[in-house]
Amino acid sequence: MPGKLKVKIVAGRHLPVMDRASDLTDAFVEVKFGNTTFKTDVYLKSLNPQWNSEWFKFEVDDEDLQDEPLQITVLDHDTYSANDAIGKVYIDIDPLLYSEAATVISGWFPIYDTIHGIRGEINVVVKVDLFNDLNRFRQSSCGVKFFCTTSIPKCYRAVIIHGFVEELVVNEDPEYQWIDRIRTPRASNEARQRLISLMSGELQRKIGLKVLEMRGNAVVGYLQCFDLEGESGLVVRAIGTACTLDKLSSPAAFLPACNSPSKDMKESPLVHPPSHGCRSTHNSPIHTATGSRLTQNFSVSVPTLIYTGMGSGSAGKEGGPFKALLRQQTQSALEQREFPFFTLTAFPPGFLVHVGGVVSARSVKLLDRIHNPDEPETRDAWWAEIRQEIKSHAKALGCHAVVGYSESTSICEEVCILSASGTAAVLNPRFLQDGTVESCLEQRLEENLPAGCGFCHIPYDELNMPFPAHLTYCYNCRKQKVPDVLFTTIDLPIDATVIGKGCLIQARLCRLKKKAQAEANATAISNLLPFMEYEVHTQLMNKLKLKGMNALFGLRIQITVGENMLMGLASATGVYLAALPTPGGIQIAGKTPNDGSYEQHVSHMQKKINDTIAKNKELYEINPPEISEEIIGSPIPEPRQRSRLLRSQSESSDEVTELDLSHGKKDAFVLEIDDTDAMEDVHSLLTDVPPPSGFYSCNTEIMPGINNWTSEIQMFTSVRVIRLSSLNLTNQALNKNFNDLCENLLKSLYFKLRSMIPCCLCHVNFTVSLPEDELIQVTVTAVAITFDKNQALQTTKTQVEKSLQRASTDNEELLQFPLELCSDSLPSHPFPPAKEHLESASSNSGIPAAQRATSVDYSSFADRCSSWIELIKLKAQTIRRGSIKTTVTVEKASPMSEGNFRNRSAPPCANSTVGVVKMTPLSFIPGAKITKYLGIINMFFIRETTSLREEGGVSGFLHAFVAEVFAMVRAHVAALGGNAVVSYIMKQCVFMENPNKNQAQCLINVSGDAVVFVRESELEVVSSQPPTANCQSSCPGGDVTT
Amino acid sequence: MTNELDIFVGNTTLIDEDVYRLWLDGYSVNDAVALRVRSGILEQTGATAAVLQSDTMDHYRTFHMLERLLHAPPKLLHQLIFQIPPSRQALLIERYYAFDEAFVREVLGKKLSKGTKKDLDDISTKTGITLKSCRRQFDNFKRVFKVVEEMRGSLVDNIQQHFLLSDRLARDYAAIVFFANNRFETGKKKLQYLSFGDFAFCAELMIQNWTLGAVGEAPTDPDSQVDDMDVDLDKEFLQDLKELKVLVADKDLLDLHKSLVCTALRGKLGVFSEMEANFKNLSRGLVNVAAKLTHNKDVRDLFVDLVEKFVEPCRSDHWPLNDVRLFLNQYSASVHSLDGFRHQGLWDRYMGTLRGCLLRLYHD
């Protein structure tokens, strides 16, 4: 099925001076697609040439259309010597291949040279004529839409969510080919850029084919990564979730829906009536006996240290996966899928039934040369193994699926750590087979599961738990069991009931490692891994408790391998889920009694910790209502006994914890500071400084507890590299350095963005790499979003949180409050507002104030292994969530004037010749409605310099490069007709320097979804008072759901 | 532990106005950090000195990258690398092209050449403005001068179009360009009391009335190269000014002129007797200035002459400004009643501007 690609070169501007004599340039353009090349005329002596060329036409197969990038090269004509290249533009024409996306690519593109950076701009128009009709077209993979967004894109509706798709392609890295010794760095870089572009296209096409075989029409949560394996090659791999999406046909009809919560309300019958039922029926008692020791839901699974070369197990991979999937589809049995994985982190209502906990697997591999690029069996087998392990972990948790799934690698020389992680979950199978969502939803309704806490209920059998855990009845519905802590890799479900605000929690860890070669090295790493995982986990637990919270969302644990060390960085967003028990405190126990000063020290530390917990509770507004005894009613003795039973069974030896048991109700998470390590732990706990007033941060899409975003957003990337003093490096010093690096980086961000206060850093994404022996590189990408403090002051209590969470505007949300307040909050008033804060939201849920304790289960730890499961679960219940009230602190400018200021500065943008393109790692734009997805942006750039000092050193070099990458992304989006990139991610930023040679090189890979958005204020008829307009539309929505 | 590399890049380029000012003022990163610390920002924000250092470095790097674009402001509007809201772009440009009064007084009317640039060291020492800032300001003057020097059309419009400056700043630059082109002497000791504003005011009047552009309101021949030049004084006009000499050379005419002025001002002037005594001197001074303008050398000394021949004598007799105004008005107007004088138009073109200038120059 051929198509015709048409390209027109219009003009250039700001070209560099190529002829020193005349201070001018004689520029012409080569347009290349596949093996065909066209040239424009030479436009003599101008830095702003007007070529206005004819239409260059390429007749090509659609396979090529998908794989190949359009390559535009601008050159300076030279009569006597070779023409000098000015730079290139690569244009991915994929967005033109599906009908709903862009129809033309037209605009100014920066002309990019890998040595000189951006050198002027060129205006290009690209069109594609496809010769086939849509039906025939469907037979190829061209029509499949790709989204980086890890939720169902706005303005689409999921008809079926088919499941996991994956693919990888391998090739030799041009940088390591023999020819690289004789060609110029520019030629080498360009060969690499082009190859990766080709491989990405091929990969996308192959994934598209799989999706079509599954009868899907889109891939959501598409994540494509490069593994630069050096000598052994270049791997491009991708995972995603195949779906069948329906475009919401008439946007107008959904207008109130799309831009705000009300949409979800209307569409999802799942939103349950205010959980009066739950409330009334469960007068369950506080678990007075819960004082018993707690174990962490933590276990380490069997070792999976495998060296390279074991290719078995990949059999059937070639044709297998999707065929199998097809079969399964008809069987509609999720359990039988090869990999029931989903890369989504947010789901349609009703999709997620229970969450088991985090499952992860890692394995250490030795790389060797990929002998046959067409048969990437080894890499496939490696991943298949890991996925298999994940699947079995999930099964152990009583879950048949894994959501929020992702894969990553860390490579150092020939050692490679493969990691996969996700959240074990039980899903509603009706989404996974044919049939409309509506019917699913109806069914779902009949089942009548409690919303808001259902996902916290444990999916596994209580008597047969995969790990020791402490269970209680759900604090919301009191019907089902919940764990005491829940860790997940997904976003906070929109219907979850949260008390207070969330915060970014990070665990940071370094471990020195001896330099070693090959297998010895791999063994050393595998031996270290479980200890790192364990410590990272302990740190997370401690920090979570220190914050007075009980659940982690968006957990991402990154283990990075270097020559002589391993680094672990875990980031997550801590929240207090109303359905889970109140976390206990942290208790410090000294191991050397009878030492007066020591005891004093211990008690001093204890006091500090207690103070911090109290301070954090206030800071994050965690005020779970104390439940009085009458409401709580009588205890449920039976479960307690059961859990005891279980405990004794599962723990062979744990004297200490048993002892703790005897401490009675008041126990807490015990930290024994018997050695310096533990001291260090305690210190590091206390060194984390909370963000300055007016700032919040999280690594999830939105900040739990804040929902009144205003429209100002600032996406940024920050990179830091520190050099460690090589002398006498100890683990301790290393940890401190790393900790300081991260903390200082955060402090700098807060300082830089201070003008946006009150604001929240969302989707904070840290990436660690170890480019050289003594260098640590941390890259952070996040978006700062302002919110309206005044509106936040109002108590917002809605049972339809889901909507609030995703909500882009605050206005509509506000409108709902009155409504809900009458229906719900009034009854809830029995609990008087705490201090300045109205806690109406959580008041309905009976949250016992029981103190709980946890301790670590060391028993399972003896396994020497390289992978583990970590799981924790939880439950939350009421649909209503804690209100957002905020801060009594007196801050400067009134929101009103700030608002005005923003408004004032916005309109002039329209006059600018360069359209503003917003970028955000989130899937939405606050205060705006996404009306169209234009296609995926997936770009790879290399920049190299041989005059590092002249370009301002490493910082100057990288600063300019990152700015150029942003510029090129924006230009491509603008040329597609878009005005924003959502779900933007910088997947790779590999920086190498050689200051002695005055050289540096950097590779950056970014992706995202190009979209068109419309400001809500522009949509509204009544611009000055949007709330009034919306009230009408959203209120009925609210009614329907209740 | 040292930061090898430390960058922050926002999708919208962050501009800190305070840091921008410090950068424009030519402070090094360390000095800027010290100044910011002194401003109390650490206490306000709870940041550390290291954070401030990193932030300052970052901004300086951004400004350094922007500087190339600021040299041709329209480029800043069209470039794609930095996403900056238009209001911020305007601020960046305006501040970049802003200059210090003390500095501009030092170079006003000087040739914007390498030679002058070498003297910037001394200017920096004298004015207390950092050498870096002096260089920026000097280069701005020179850059604007080079671009608009040969251009036709309104000087202010040309500057605005090519440098996107505010109306006010564009007018100031027009004055600077005009002074640099005509090399008016402004540095003499007796001119030290004059501000840049005084000169800029005079420059504007002269551009409006004494240049080629002034007469060529509607150029008959659009191809003519000389039609509409705001930068150069109208040579023909300067030649013609010789004709005015008759006003002082012809004794009858001078006496008549004097009597007309004295009659009209009698009783209205506090310094009438001084005026009457000085009339011939003053008139000679003013007319001789006009007559000398054929020589470039004398054009350069225009302001020196005006101060010497008119401002100083009046000031020594303590004329109030209002009396000066009354006198100049009457002095110019009375010429129309001199029957023997045929160059009324020429006189008005000369005296109209000169009157404005003198009134502006007449202060302490």
Side-chain angles (χ1 to χ4, degrees):
Chain A
M1 275 154 295
K4 193 186 272 179
L5 172 68
K6 301 192 294 181
V7 183
K8 183 183 177 111
I9 306 296
V10 183
R13 68 182 182 196
H14 306 154
L15 295 188
V17 170
M18 298 299 284
D19 179 0
R20 287 273 151 230
S22 67
D23 268 2
L24 288 167
T25 296
D26 304 324
F28 70 101
V29 182
E30 274 181 14
V31 185
K32 189 176 174 200
F33 189 83
N35 294 320
T36 317
T37 306
F38 293 101
K39 283 182 192 176
T40 65
D41 297 332
V42 177
Y43 195 93
L44 290 171
K45 302 200 185 311
S46 171
L47 299 182
N48 300 290
Q50 305 291 318
W51 293 289
N52 225 340
S53 78
E54 60 189 296
W55 285 99
F56 300 122
K57 293 174 185 143
F58 301 88
E59 290 179 358
V60 279
D61 280 349
D62 58 353
E63 185 176 314
D64 287 340
L65 282 173
Q66 281 192 288
D67 288 4
E68 294 268 353
L70 175 66
Q71 184 180 322
I72 292 166
T73 313
V74 186
L75 299 111
D76 176 51
H77 177 77
D78 201 323
T79 321
Y80 304 107
S81 61
N83 298 325
D84 294 324
I86 295 173
K88 290 192 183 221
V89 180
Y90 292 97
I91 301 177
D92 178 10
I93 47 173
D94 219 45
L96 295 179
L97 301 182
Y98 27 93
S99 48
E100 291 155 31
T103 53
V104 62
I105 299 177
S106 166
W108 289 98
F109 291 87
I111 302 168
Y112 181 73
D113 178 72
T114 61
I115 306 294
H116 294 102
I118 290 178
R119 308 169 95 189
E121 291 120 36
I122 183 168
N123 194 316
V124 181
V125 186
V126 185
K127 287 181 180 173
V128 172
D129 287 341
L130 290 161
F131 293 159
N132 38 347
D133 65 351
L134 211 71
N135 280 338
R136 283 191 60 210
F137 188 57
R138 277 266 189 225
Q139 305 302 310
S140 97
S141 95
C142 272
V144 177
K145 291 181 279 289
F146 285 78
F147 301 92
C148 295
T149 302
T150 57
S151 55
I152 302 302
K154 316 274 179 295
C155 73
Y156 285 95
R157 196 188 49 145
V159 180
I160 312 170
I161 298 173
H162 300 281
F164 192 57
V165 280
E166 49 79 31
E167 185 62 84
L168 65 80
V169 293
V170 299
N171 209 315
E172 266 188 282
D173 190 337
E175 185 99 341
Y176 294 87
Q177 285 164 348
W178 68 268
I179 193 167
D180 202 58
R181 287 177 209 157
I182 53 167
R183 65 182 164 193
T184 62
R186 175 182 283 116
S188 166
N189 292 338
E190 283 173 0
R192 243 173 147 190
Q193 285 193 167
R194 196 180 124 72
L195 177 70
I196 288 186
S197 189
L198 262 173
M199 287 169 78
S200 308
E202 182 190 342
L203 194 70
Q204 217 169 311
R205 180 173 52 80
K206 285 186 169 172
I207 291 229
L209 278 171
K210 290 189 174 183
V211 171
L212 288 176
E213 294 212 29
M214 295 164 91
R215 296 175 194 241
N217 64 3
V219 182
V220 180
Y222 184 69
L223 178 69
Q224 183 193 288
C225 292
F226 301 97
D227 297 331
L228 300 168
E229 294 184 352
E231 291 280 332
S232 55
L234 186 61
V235 177
V236 185
R237 59 194 161 77
I239 55 175
T241 305
C243 293
T244 304
L245 298 183
D246 244 8
K247 181 131 170 112
L248 294 175
S249 46
S250 69
F254 288 98
L255 204 141
C258 282
N259 45 2
S260 80
S262 43
K263 157 189 185 171
D264 298 281
M265 296 192 288
K266 276 184 186 165
E267 288 205 329
S268 59
L270 268 187
V271 174
H272 283 260
S275 56
H276 312 301
C278 289
R279 215 188 313 148
S280 53
T281 46
H282 298 294
N283 293 337
S284 21
I286 199 161
H287 312 228
T288 42
T290 47
S292 55
R293 58 157 289 280
L294 303 186
T295 57
Q296 269 176 292
N297 310 318
F298 175 85
S299 83
V300 180
S301 84
V302 284
T304 51
L305 171 58
I306 293 159
Y307 295 121
T308 180
M310 296 183 54
S312 68
S314 73
K317 203 94 199 355
E318 272 300 297
F322 52 84
K323 276 183 196 136
L325 282 166
L326 268 178
R327 190 179 60 245
Q328 285 149 17
Q329 198 181 328
T330 51
Q331 291 174 348
S332 80
L334 185 63
E335 288 81 1
Q336 288 174 21
R337 281 195 196 179
E338 185 176 13
F339 297 117
F341 298 169
F342 300 87
T343 54
L344 303 179
T345 59
F347 312 93
F351 184 73
L352 194 64
V353 181
H354 298 303
V355 170
V358 171
V359 288
S360 85
R362 293 184 205 279
S363 86
V364 182
K365 304 288 186 190
L366 278 181
L367 301 171
D368 69 353
R369 191 170 278 281
I370 297 166
H371 297 291
N372 183 359
D374 295 329
E375 299 271 323
E377 280 175 356
T378 326
R379 302 309 187 266
D380 257 343
W382 288 354
W383 287 110
E385 241 167 50
I386 293 232
R387 289 171 192 144
Q388 207 59 52
E389 198 172 327
I390 290 274
K391 189 180 170 187
S392 67
H393 289 337
K395 227 174 225 160
L397 286 176
C399 296
H400 57 228
V402 176
V403 294
Y405 180 74
S406 66
E407 296 176 345
S408 63
T409 59
S410 172
I411 296 171
C412 179
E413 302 292 321
E414 78 264 85
V415 175
C416 173
I417 302 182
L418 310 185
S419 309
S421 73
T423 304
V426 175
L427 305 178
N428 184 341
R430 288 186 187 83
F431 274 96
L432 307 166
Q433 62 201 29
D434 275 317
T436 61
V437 177
E438 283 80 19
S439 66
C440 301
L441 292 176
E442 283 157 26
Q443 300 264 16
R444 181 90 175 76
L445 245 194
E446 288 161 24
E447 290 166 22
N448 201 18
L449 286 176
C453 63
F455 76 94
C456 310
H457 300 161
I458 53 163
Y460 35 82
D461 178 3
E462 212 180 312
L463 291 171
N464 191 18
M465 285 201 296
F467 50 85
H470 182 266
L471 303 178
T472 53
Y473 275 109
C474 173
Y475 278 51
N476 180 27
C477 68
R478 308 227 146 255
K479 275 182 186 159
Q480 307 276 333
K481 291 292 182 60
V482 294
D484 56 341
V485 193
L486 183 67
F487 285 13
T488 74
T489 57
I490 55 173
D491 275 346
L492 186 69
I494 41 192
D495 53 358
T497 313
V498 174
I499 293 175
K501 292 197 169 65
C503 73
L504 179 70
I505 291 180
Q506 286 195 319
R508 304 154 186 148
L509 185 69
C510 308
R511 277 281 171 270
L512 285 170
K513 162 185 93 63
K514 287 215 171 64
K515 281 193 189 183
Q517 292 301 310
E519 299 194 4
N521 195 15
T523 313
I525 293 168
S526 330
N527 287 340
L528 271 174
L529 279 179
F531 293 94
M532 294 197 63
E533 306 253 24
Y534 171 74
E535 277 192 46
V536 163
H537 187 267
T538 310
Q539 256 191 52
L540 283 175
M541 265 317 237
N542 285 338
K543 288 189 177 178
L544 186 65
K545 285 181 177 298
L546 204 63
K547 296 277 195 292
M549 299 175 182
N550 58 17
L552 287 181
F553 286 88
L555 176 64
R556 189 167 158 262
I557 302 178
Q558 196 196 348
I559 303 271
T560 309
V561 57
E563 288 269 282
N564 56 351
M565 63 179 103
L566 284 174
M567 313 279 286
L569 179 67
S571 306
T573 301
V575 294
Y576 186 105
L577 283 176
L580 299 198
T582 310
I586 297 176
Q587 192 176 314
I588 303 220
K591 261 294 170 97
T592 36
N594 309 325
D595 180 345
S597 66
Y598 189 73
E599 295 270 298
Q600 210 175 0
H601 179 65
V602 168
S603 68
H604 177 66
M605 297 284 273
Q606 181 70 60
K607 186 172 172 305
K608 258 169 105 178
I609 287 191
N610 293 346
D611 289 351
T612 312
I613 295 180
K615 224 188 293 161
N616 280 330
K617 281 192 174 172
E618 198 176 320
L619 182 63
Y620 299 108
E621 296 150 24
I622 300 169
N623 303 301
E626 308 263 329
I627 301 298
S628 56
E629 288 293 321
E630 317 92 71
I631 295 177
I632 290 155
S634 63
I636 329 166
E638 197 200 359
R640 198 176 69 225
Q641 281 182 346
R642 256 199 230 151
S643 60
R644 267 218 179 122
L645 249 179
L646 177 81
R647 207 176 305 122
S648 48
Q649 283 171 347
S650 62
E651 285 139 38
S652 37
S653 66
D654 221 340
E655 294 302 310
V656 188
T657 49
E658 286 301 326
L659 276 178
D660 275 351
L661 252 180
S662 62
H663 281 202
K665 288 181 75 163
K666 201 58 184 140
D667 23 345
F669 193 66
V670 178
L671 273 184
E672 286 175 348
I673 46 172
D674 53 345
D675 57 12
T676 45
D677 263 14
M679 283 300 282
E680 192 199 328
D681 288 349
V682 176
H683 278 299
S684 69
L685 272 184
L686 294 168
T687 50
D688 283 11
V689 207
S693 143
F695 263 112
Y696 292 92
S697 54
C698 63
N699 77 333
T700 45
E701 280 248 306
I702 37 89
M703 175 71 174
I706 300 180
N707 53 28
N708 40 1
W709 306 109
T710 45
S711 60
E712 195 184 338
I713 65 171
Q714 167 71 290
M715 188 282 296
F716 59 85
T717 289
S718 185
V719 184
R720 268 194 196 181
V721 176
I722 57 162
R723 183 175 291 279
L724 303 161
S725 47
S726 53
L727 295 170
N728 302 324
L729 263 189
T730 60
N731 278 334
Q732 215 169 325
L734 207 55
N735 276 335
K736 184 171 179 323
N737 280 332
F738 184 39
N739 216 34
D740 288 351
L741 169 60
C742 295
E743 284 292 317
N744 290 339
L745 189 45
L746 281 170
K747 275 185 214 158
S748 272
L749 299 182
Y750 295 138
F751 180 76
K752 284 218 169 275
L753 299 163
R754 65 192 185 284
S755 67
M756 292 179 78
I757 285 178
C759 89
C760 179
L761 299 188
C762 293
H763 215 287
V764 177
N765 186 8
F766 273 69
T767 315
V768 184
S769 54
L770 299 164
E772 276 173 49
D773 269 15
E774 283 132 24
L775 296 184
I776 304 178
Q777 178 191 330
V778 175
T779 309
V780 186
T781 297
V783 61
I785 311 184
T786 55
F787 61 91
D788 190 329
K789 203 159 66 67
N790 258 25
Q791 290 191 13
L793 273 167
Q794 312 200 18
T795 300
T796 66
K797 157 192 186 222
T798 71
Q799 27 204 250
V800 206
E801 327 264 29
K802 44 158 19 110
S803 29
L804 292 192
Q805 299 283 13
R806 289 273 153 177
S808 21
T809 31
D810 337 304
N811 295 336
E812 292 105 332
E813 289 161 15
L814 266 185
L815 294 177
Q816 298 173 2
F817 305 152
L819 213 108
E820 281 141 14
L821 282 174
C822 8
S823 68
D824 284 316
S825 59
L826 292 182
S828 74
H829 275 187
F831 310 102
K835 293 166 197 159
E836 304 82 7
H837 314 311
L838 287 176
E839 266 309 319
S840 54
S842 47
S843 50
N844 284 334
S845 55
I847 307 258
Q851 292 270 24
R852 251 140 248 286
T854 9
S855 74
V856 178
D857 168 24
Y858 289 83
S859 57
S860 50
F861 204 46
D863 305 332
R864 54 144 249 224
C865 42
S866 65
S867 68
W868 57 299
I869 318 178
E870 168 192 334
L871 19 92
I872 303 176
K873 51 257 103 170
L874 88 105
K875 237 137 226 211
Q877 77 86 70
T878 29
I879 320 198
R880 58 216 71 212
R881 166 194 54 219
S883 63
I884 331 282
K885 54 309 166 82
T886 330
T887 106
V888 244
T889 46
V890 188
E891 304 247 349
K892 33 156 218 195
S894 77
M896 202 47 207
S897 65
E898 280 173 7
N900 287 344
F901 173 74
R902 275 170 210 136
N903 285 344
R904 196 154 28 83
S905 57
C909 298
N911 308 332
S912 167
T913 44
V914 181
V916 172
V917 176
K918 300 224 175 202
M919 292 169 74
T920 171
L922 309 179
S923 65
F924 67 97
I925 292 167
K929 178 191 171 222
I930 294 173
T931 53
K932 197 173 182 190
Y933 281 79
L934 299 167
I936 201 168
I937 297 280
N938 186 10
M939 299 170 91
F940 176 85
F941 298 104
I942 302 177
R943 179 87 154 77
E944 187 166 348
T945 183
T946 49
S947 51
L948 189 57
R949 275 186 295 275
E950 295 77 357
E951 293 189 36
V954 286
S955 295
F957 170 70
L958 195 61
H959 191 142
F961 183 37
V962 173
E964 285 174 341
V965 169
F966 286 1
M968 287 184 279
V969 170
R970 287 192 302 258
H972 277 76
V973 172
L976 285 169
N979 55 7
V981 189
V982 296
S983 299
Y984 168 82
I985 175 175
M986 183 177 281
K987 290 178 293 193
Q988 226 143 13
C989 177
V990 184
F991 178 73
M992 288 156 288
E993 58 168 323
N994 188 343
N996 296 333
K997 286 189 177 172
N998 206 17
Q999 287 175 344
Q1001 191 191 38
C1002 186
L1003 294 79
I1004 287 183
N1005 177 214
V1006 296
S1007 66
D1009 294 326
V1011 300
V1012 181
F1013 74 86
V1014 183
R1015 284 249 158 263
E1016 259 156 27
S1017 52
E1018 290 160 23
L1019 282 174
E1020 315 280 331
V1021 187
V1022 193
S1023 57
S1024 58
Q1025 284 283 25
T1028 14
N1030 267 338
C1031 190
Q1032 310 306 66
S1033 49
S1034 58
C1035 291
D1039 277 338
V1040 168
T1041 59
T1042 39
Chain B
M1 182 178 95
T2 48
N3 277 356
E4 280 273 302
L5 184 158
D6 179 8
I7 60 156
F8 175 99
V9 188
N11 183 38
T12 303
T13 306
L14 280 185
I15 308 283
D16 184 312
E17 291 183 36
D18 297 336
V19 184
Y20 190 47
R21 165 133 326 279
L22 292 169
W23 180 74
L24 290 174
D25 286 345
Y27 292 104
S28 69
V29 173
N30 288 340
D31 291 349
V33 170
L35 285 167
R36 292 182 83 189
V37 168
R38 230 172 290 159
S39 78
I41 197 167
L42 294 187
E43 290 75 24
Q44 284 163 34
T45 58
T48 63
V51 165
L52 208 56
Q53 172 90 19
S54 144
D55 180 65
T56 311
M57 289 277 280
D58 229 40
H59 283 302
Y60 266 54
R61 251 196 322 272
T62 307
F63 298 143
H64 181 73
M65 284 188 262
L66 284 171
E67 189 164 22
R68 188 178 52 87
L69 298 163
L70 284 165
H71 289 168
K75 269 194 188 166
L76 185 69
L77 260 64
H78 294 281
Q79 55 83 31
L80 302 175
I81 298 178
F82 302 96
Q83 186 158 277
I84 304 172
S87 59
R88 289 263 136 173
Q89 288 179 343
L91 178 134
L92 284 173
I93 296 167
E94 193 76 4
R95 293 258 177 100
Y96 190 79
Y97 282 91
F99 49 82
D100 291 308
E101 166 86 22
F103 177 79
V104 73
R105 278 299 277 111
E106 292 297 322
V107 291
L108 191 65
K110 285 192 182 148
K111 197 174 174 190
L112 299 174
S113 63
K114 287 220 174 73
T116 312
K117 197 165 180 180
K118 278 185 194 137
D119 299 338
L120 290 181
D121 284 10
D122 299 338
I123 295 178
S124 168
T125 323
K126 190 175 162 192
T127 58
I129 299 165
T130 61
L131 182 59
K132 229 175 158 182
S133 179
C134 289
R135 288 213 178 109
R136 171 182 59 84
Q137 298 180 40
F138 181 81
D139 290 342
N140 283 344
F141 294 168
K142 191 168 173 183
R143 193 175 316 113
V144 174
F145 181 84
K146 287 262 176 224
V147 169
V148 299
E149 180 183 30
E150 303 288 324
M151 256 175 212
R152 294 198 288 150
S154 154
L155 185 54
V156 176
D157 289 352
N158 285 339
I159 292 171
Q160 252 180 320
Q161 193 191 334
H162 287 86
F163 293 91
L164 310 173
L165 303 180
S166 68
D167 188 56
R168 224 200 97 74
L169 195 54
R171 282 170 197 279
D172 285 350
Y173 266 91
I176 292 165
V177 169
F178 185 71
F179 267 66
N181 190 54
N182 292 291
R183 311 270 303 279
F184 291 115
E185 173 63 54
T186 64
K188 281 268 163 59
K189 201 167 179 200
K190 53 182 57 160
L191 297 182
Q192 284 309 312
Y193 79 100
L194 292 170
S195 70
F196 170 72
D198 296 335
F199 288 116
F201 180 85
C202 299
E204 194 167 346
L205 283 180
M206 288 156 78
I207 292 170
Q208 278 166 12
N209 299 302
W210 287 4
T211 60
L212 280 169
V215 261
E217 287 289 317
T220 41
D221 177 10
D223 293 330
S224 157
Q225 288 292 315
V226 286
D227 266 353
D228 199 10
M229 295 281 288
D230 266 0
V231 193
D232 294 319
L233 291 169
D234 184 348
K235 286 273 186 305
E236 240 171 275
F237 163 68
L238 298 182
Q239 287 293 338
D240 293 347
L241 284 176
K242 276 189 189 155
E243 309 290 342
L244 300 182
K245 215 160 179 182
V246 70
L247 282 174
V248 289
D250 182 331
K251 197 162 182 314
D252 294 345
L253 217 49
L254 182 60
D255 288 340
L256 186 56
H257 191 186
K258 179 178 172 182
S259 69
L260 280 171
V261 171
C262 288
T263 315
L265 290 178
R266 190 177 307 272
K268 292 182 188 159
L269 230 51
V271 289
F272 181 77
S273 52
E274 289 90 338
M275 184 275 285
E276 196 170 23
N278 260 332
F279 181 88
K280 286 191 180 171
N281 272 340
L282 291 175
S283 185
R284 252 185 226 117
L286 292 176
V287 173
N288 282 337
V289 166
K292 285 200 311 182
L293 285 179
T294 38
H295 306 290
N296 278 340
K297 167 79 182 67
D298 294 312
V299 169
R300 287 182 203 171
D301 285 339
L302 175 66
F303 289 94
V304 182
D305 290 344
L306 290 180
V307 169
E308 267 177 10
K309 301 280 161 45
F310 185 83
V311 174
E312 285 183 341
C314 294
R315 205 158 45 192
S316 66
D317 286 343
H318 305 289
W319 292 34
L321 180 61
N322 204 41
D323 286 2
V324 177
R325 179 174 296 115
L326 285 171
F327 168 73
L328 285 174
N329 288 347
Q330 201 52 51
Y331 176 74
S332 325
S334 303
V335 171
H336 296 285
S337 314
L338 297 175
D339 291 337
F341 186 68
R342 287 171 295 123
H343 307 287
Q344 305 291 358
L346 187 65
W347 173 255
D348 284 348
R349 187 176 175 191
Y350 172 69
M351 212 44 215
T353 300
L354 205 68
R355 188 177 62 212
C357 294
L358 287 172
L359 286 172
R360 177 77 193 221
L361 299 180
Y362 190 78
H363 61 81
D364 290 330

